[in-house]
Amino acid sequence: MRSRFLTGVTMVAVLASAPTPIPLAMAHSVPAPDKGFCRNAAPLPQLDPEVRPQPQPVNGSIKTRGSEKRDREDAMAVEAAPPPPPPPPPPPPPMAPPPPSYAGDAAEVVVTGSRSGTEASDASSEALPPPPASAALVPGSSSDFSRVSPGIVPPRPYPRSQPQPQSGILTAGEHDDLLNPELYASYVNRSGDLGQEVRNLPRVDTTRVVTVKVNDRSGQPIPFADVTVTCSDGNSITMATQADGSAVFFPGLDRLSERITVSARKAGRTIADARPVLVANAAGGQLVGLTANQAAAKVTKLDLMLVVDTTGSMGDEINYLQAELRSIIGAITARHRDLDIRIGFVFYRDLGDDYVTRTVAFDRDIGRVQGAMARQDANGGGDYPEAMDQAMIRAVGQDWRPDAVKSLLLVADAPPHDDKFGRTWAAAEAARAKRIHITPVAASGVADKAEYAMRAMAAATQSRYLFLTDDSGVGNPHAPPAIDCYLVTKLDALVRRVIDSQISGRRIEPDDQEIIRSVGKYDAGKCILPADFKWQDG
């Protein structure tokens, strides 16, 4: 059983205090043969142009290629089957049921016929008109179904109109694995069996992090500065700072040498001279500060890309998610009227469906992109994994602006196919190289592989892992995340806080009245570790 922890110290202090050495395979900065130090991300995988369904009129109706394929298969099945036997004579017409009766202020359903059970009650309730508005259950009466004797199946009460899906219903929690590196290392170790199933399972070692922070002389962060790390063999990696002026490097993932130099440029001009840094071999975080010779500039642009799984397994929540996302988009544009905001979508399903990906390019017309979201439905899929790899490649390959906050919201309930993990992770690394935050929103159905992939993408891109919870009562049950502490709040408010944090460069916590419940012990995104915690033991 996972223990639950809480921490109140800073990230650097937490990392530096970890006494336990990490495995040798992860600890030493030894380059792979013929590859050298300072590994750069591979180019974004290429896809064929997106194929749009071609509607064609058939007998006055519109059919897509997918529906034509199904029709051909159905026709072949009909041709192969033997002719059906002649139909039996029609049964005599049933007797019409008597109209319902209402007695006094308490409405009682009058059930006729000899049928019993759910089928009978369903048919009766659908056949009856609704009771008058004044009808109400009387405690202890035959219409108070909670008091019916066991073994008797009561008629179902009159169907009540369900409210239209609206924002503020879905609930969610979040976790930042960069703030909890030991817990993330423990989680990765516990997930070792997944590596036997997934050949290209990504591994992000958050116990060793080099964070480069670029500030101006007054201490204000410099967003979107290019930080270059040069390794001892002359190879280099360049990562741009986020809105908080920071760029995060992972010695294991980035294959840093023991000695590096760090410098910063902006708009092609050097703003901070190179300084040498010794990369520690032991677990712990390093903060490298650079002071720029120019003043910080304000963030003025936001590019928000929503990548949404629209397969059939999302059907229990897609309408609510549509309402939530429309609300989130509206709130962000209203809250940041001084920002130049563009929004785009990549909707995706799987191979063999009516479409694999459907892209809506970045657009400043919020009404137009809201309409694109409203037109989506959930369908297709078939098996559990989906074409997440193609969706991520399409999204990362869009026309992101270099001087904008870049946020990619991945809404999904399934992982990529096992043999497509490599391509999915390549897309995530390309997103990191472009300074794109990947913020997953895990819906119901998420299991080990999907959670692992989503958390790795969030950690690598300086983002957080979001997951829906059962508190809303909407959708199928949600798998409990492998996370030690978190707060549950409304999803729309949580996503707004995350994006506001990405824009402002500071973590924004919920107000007390926004918290629905808490799991474990939580302090501003961190879980405090007990003195005897060892991440190898999980």
Side-chain angles (χ1 to χ4, degrees):
M1 178 181 293
R2 297 189 304 273
S3 54
R4 314 208 180 269
F5 310 113
L6 180 67
T7 184
V9 292
T10 65
M11 176 182 174
V12 174
V14 167
L15 287 169
S17 65
T20 309
I22 57 180
L24 292 178
M26 300 166 60
H28 295 293
S29 299
V30 177
D34 303 324
K35 292 184 178 180
F37 291 110
C38 277
R39 184 187 71 91
N40 283 272
L44 185 68
Q46 298 298 306
L47 298 175
D48 293 333
E50 199 168 66
V51 176
R52 298 278 183 172
Q54 300 297 321
Q56 299 178 6
V58 178
N59 297 329
S61 63
I62 300 295
K63 286 187 176 290
T64 64
R65 291 179 178 176
S67 61
E68 287 180 343
K69 177 182 177 182
R70 288 191 294 271
D71 288 348
R72 288 196 300 270
E73 293 172 348
D74 292 344
M76 292 175 63
V78 170
E79 292 174 1
M95 296 180 61
S101 63
Y102 305 105
D105 292 334
E108 293 193 13
V109 180
V110 179
V111 182
T112 60
S114 60
R115 291 183 301 166
S116 63
T118 305
E119 180 183 354
S121 60
D122 284 352
S124 301
S125 62
E126 291 172 0
L128 298 179
S134 60
L137 296 179
V138 177
S141 71
S142 60
S143 57
D144 181 3
F145 302 126
S146 64
R147 301 175 63 90
V148 175
S149 300
I152 298 178
V153 180
R156 203 172 59 179
Y158 286 98
R160 298 182 179 181
S161 59
Q162 295 296 320
Q164 290 297 317
Q166 55 186 310
S167 63
I169 301 253
L170 297 182
T171 55
E174 63 91 5
H175 188 68
D176 189 332
D177 283 311
L178 287 180
L179 292 183
N180 299 276
E182 292 92 346
L183 294 178
Y184 184 68
S186 176
Y187 163 73
V188 170
N189 287 344
R190 295 197 306 270
S191 304
D193 291 344
L194 292 180
Q196 300 175 7
E197 301 179 40
V198 181
R199 183 168 56 91
N200 294 315
L201 197 71
R203 188 177 183 94
V204 181
D205 176 17
T206 61
T207 60
R208 301 176 66 220
V209 176
V210 176
T211 301
V212 180
K213 190 76 181 292
V214 184
N215 292 334
D216 64 13
R217 291 189 176 96
S218 64
Q220 295 301 308
I222 303 285
F224 319 145
D226 291 325
V227 174
T228 299
V229 170
T230 304
C231 289
S232 58
D233 60 357
N235 291 337
S236 63
I237 307 173
T238 298
M239 296 281 181
T241 60
Q242 300 289 357
D244 64 354
S246 71
V248 171
F249 297 85
F250 303 95
L253 180 66
D254 297 323
R255 221 161 44 224
L256 301 186
S257 57
E258 184 178 5
R259 296 180 183 275
I260 60 174
T261 59
V262 181
S263 61
R265 297 171 63 86
K266 192 165 186 182
R269 186 175 69 86
T270 299
I271 61 173
D273 292 332
R275 57 169 293 187
V277 175
L278 183 64
V279 178
N281 247 347
Q286 294 179 258
L287 179 61
V288 179
L290 296 178
T291 301
N293 57 20
Q294 70 176 43
K298 186 179 179 182
V299 171
T300 61
K301 299 176 183 178
L302 169 67
D303 283 348
L304 174 62
M305 176 65 64
L306 297 100
V307 180
V308 184
D309 178 348
T310 58
T311 55
S313 60
M314 294 286 288
D316 60 329
E317 289 167 330
I318 192 70
N319 291 334
Y320 287 89
L321 284 167
Q322 286 171 321
E324 300 284 2
L325 294 175
R326 289 195 298 269
S327 171
I328 290 164
I329 292 170
I332 290 171
T333 54
R335 185 182 182 93
H336 300 281
R337 295 188 182 277
D338 57 337
L339 281 185
D340 176 3
I341 300 177
R342 301 189 313 167
I343 298 173
F345 291 97
V346 175
F347 305 104
Y348 72 96
R349 290 181 177 170
D350 204 358
L351 300 176
D353 291 335
D354 286 346
Y355 65 86
V356 180
T357 62
R358 180 176 290 168
T359 301
V360 179
F362 282 120
D363 197 334
R364 291 185 176 89
D365 189 327
I366 304 305
R368 190 154 50 210
V369 296
Q370 294 274 34
M373 181 71 213
R375 289 190 293 272
Q376 304 309 309
D377 62 352
N379 208 339
D383 58 357
Y384 178 51
E386 312 297 1
M388 182 187 290
D389 60 308
Q390 293 200 35
M392 291 296 297
I393 293 170
R394 299 264 187 224
V396 175
Q398 293 302 300
D399 181 26
W400 300 82
R401 293 175 291 183
D403 55 347
V405 170
K406 305 174 187 178
S407 185
L408 188 157
L409 203 65
L410 171 62
V411 184
D413 69 345
H417 292 269
D418 285 359
D419 62 342
K420 297 297 188 291
F421 259 77
R423 290 210 314 178
T424 309
W425 182 244
E429 287 207 292
R432 178 180 176 231
K434 288 188 173 186
R435 190 181 41 78
I436 299 171
H437 293 287
I438 299 177
T439 305
V441 179
S444 60
V446 162
D448 292 344
K449 292 178 185 178
E451 178 175 350
Y452 189 99
M454 290 178 173
R455 288 177 67 173
M457 288 190 280
T461 60
Q462 295 177 244
S463 190
R464 310 185 217 172
Y465 173 67
L466 280 54
F467 48 93
L468 298 183
T469 69
D470 288 335
D471 300 80
S472 67
V474 174
N476 297 324
H478 299 81
I483 290 171
D484 295 87
C485 69
Y486 56 90
L487 302 178
V488 175
T489 63
K490 298 292 187 182
L491 173 67
D492 57 346
L494 171 58
V495 174
R496 287 197 299 269
R497 286 195 305 273
V498 170
I499 295 177
D500 282 346
S501 298
Q502 294 170 354
I503 295 170
S504 66
R506 61 184 180 86
R507 184 181 174 91
I508 300 173
E509 290 294 319
D511 296 331
D512 290 344
Q513 63 269 23
E514 295 181 275
I515 300 172
I516 297 171
R517 65 182 173 93
S518 62
V519 174
K521 297 179 179 179
Y522 176 96
D523 181 21
K526 302 171 187 174
C527 304
I528 289 182
L529 302 174
D532 59 348
F533 174 75
K534 295 181 180 180
W535 57 262
Q536 295 101 322
D537 297 336

